Amino acid sequence: MPSRPMNPGGASRVRRRVLLGAAVLVVLVALAGLAAYLTRDGRSPSKAPAVRPSSPAAPSTIPSAPRSQPRALAVPPKTHDPIAFGKAAAAALWSYDTRAYSRTELRTALRAWLTTEDKYADPASVDKVVPSPVLWREMAANRQFATAKVHEGHFPDSFTRALQSDPGAITQAYIYAVTVSGKQSIAWKGSHAGGAESRTSTLAVQCRPHHPCALVGVMPSVAP
């Protein structure tokens, strides 16, 4: 990465990544192995959901596509359960509808899931799941949309072990690691066929006492 003096924008992205990793490591500090895992993966690109334009020849054909009625943008649930929030956030991140709203509206809506604590929030990790302007235009021309079905959510084993070894460590930022798995279904132009792919993401979720949960960001890699 460029140094701070040479590229302030790049430095800002680095700072956001470091803050996200540090926030999660508050509760993972007792687990050096996972810390090394996250540091290594921080140098690799995030595996974001595929949102390339579909065609009748798309792989993973399924008998029926998601319901064709345009869908509204998802809003964060008012919950104090990090797993429930993580599942809802993953469903929002894996969904889009070019027929119902613009790319800018989707990006703004997803950012509304983020914590208002700027030193922890990582909007860049959320922006990565939003298609580029060029790709969005191509998908919109096909009236492409995607829906998500979440199968389950859980705390990664490494996170649970670290929390058990030092329960008080989480009380600084109240940030939890939540791994969510499910399926993303894609359809276009009112077609009765579509594509479906399995999805798994690890999210950083903040749930402070007496406050609804909020998203911190999307981790660079999945923690089982």
Side-chain angles (χ1 to χ4, degrees):
M1 278 259 182
S3 63
R4 290 177 185 270
M6 293 176 62
N7 190 340
S12 177
R13 287 191 293 272
V14 171
R15 184 174 64 85
R16 292 293 189 187
R17 287 292 179 189
V18 170
L19 287 173
L20 175 61
V24 176
L25 288 178
V26 165
V27 291
L28 298 177
V29 67
L31 193 61
L34 184 61
Y37 170 79
L38 292 175
T39 302
R40 180 201 67 198
D41 287 333
R43 298 192 297 266
S44 302
S46 173
K47 184 179 180 183
V51 289
R52 55 188 178 277
S54 300
S55 68
S60 304
T61 299
I62 55 176
S64 60
R67 290 191 303 175
S68 60
Q69 182 178 356
R71 296 180 176 234
L73 289 159
V75 296
K78 300 296 183 181
T79 179
H80 300 276
D81 182 342
I83 292 180
F85 185 90
K87 291 166 69 174
L93 292 167
W94 298 338
S95 303
Y96 59 85
D97 193 338
T98 64
R99 307 163 304 168
Y101 42 77
S102 68
R103 174 186 179 274
T104 299
E105 289 172 324
L106 173 61
R107 180 173 176 268
T108 300
L110 292 179
R111 283 196 169 204
W113 289 68
L114 289 166
T115 175
T116 56
E117 297 183 40
D118 290 341
K119 74 174 183 176
Y120 296 126
D122 183 19
S125 69
V126 172
D127 290 347
K128 277 191 173 183
V129 308
V130 179
S132 70
V134 172
L135 182 54
W136 184 270
R137 285 195 296 270
E138 294 177 0
M139 296 193 309
N142 288 328
R143 296 179 59 80
Q144 184 169 314
F145 60 100
T147 56
K149 182 176 182 179
V150 172
H151 299 321
E152 67 90 30
H154 65 273
F155 296 134
D157 291 342
S158 49
F159 176 88
T160 301
R161 291 196 300 270
L163 193 57
Q164 290 173 342
S165 68
D166 187 5
I170 201 171
T171 59
Q172 177 178 333
Y174 287 95
I175 292 175
Y176 302 79
V178 180
T179 296
V180 182
S181 63
K183 180 175 289 187
Q184 181 193 55
S185 298
I186 301 173
W188 56 94
K189 289 185 177 178
S191 173
H192 293 295
E197 293 185 30
S198 296
R199 296 290 177 210
T200 304
S201 298
T202 298
L203 309 179
V205 175
Q206 184 180 53
C207 296
R208 287 195 181 278
H210 314 301
H211 292 278
C213 296
L215 183 64
V216 172
V218 183
M219 298 300 291
S221 290
V222 174

